[in-house]
Amino acid sequence: MVELIPLVAIISIFVILPGMVMYFADRKRRWQSEHAAKPAAGNAELVSLAEKMERRIDALEQILDVESPGWRKKYREHA
């Protein structure tokens, strides 16, 4: 029984501990790669919303150009 203690210690140091380190390093890498992809999807949604807002602003400016031709000059004077 006493002869097994050094064997168990060597196995723990050279097999089990590195295995645990590699396991947790892999889990961390996978977690980071999963969470790194999420902001990209969020950015795509924000870009889509920004483009939609830009089209709305352009449409409103066209309406104002027809209904109130001098609105751009008035806006620049107040800005």
Side-chain angles (χ1 to χ4, degrees):
M1 184 71 177
V2 174
E3 302 87 26
L4 293 178
I5 293 176
L7 181 63
V8 170
I10 290 172
I11 290 173
S12 296
I13 291 172
F14 292 108
V15 176
I16 295 174
L17 289 177
M20 289 174 57
V21 169
M22 290 173 57
Y23 172 76
F24 286 111
D26 181 58
R27 297 277 296 186
K28 182 179 178 184
R29 182 189 54 82
R30 287 184 188 189
W31 184 83
Q32 287 176 341
S33 67
E34 288 174 2
H35 286 72
K38 288 183 181 179
N43 287 344
E45 183 180 348
L46 289 175
V47 167
S48 172
L49 288 172
E51 289 171 349
K52 186 176 179 181
M53 186 184 304
E54 187 174 6
R55 287 191 302 269
R56 285 180 165 180
I57 291 171
D58 289 340
L60 289 172
E61 286 179 345
Q62 289 175 357
I63 292 170
L64 281 171
D65 285 338
V66 170
E67 291 185 2
S68 179
W71 74 271
R72 289 182 193 265
K73 182 180 177 185
K74 291 178 187 175
Y75 173 75
R76 288 188 184 120
E77 288 175 0
H78 294 286

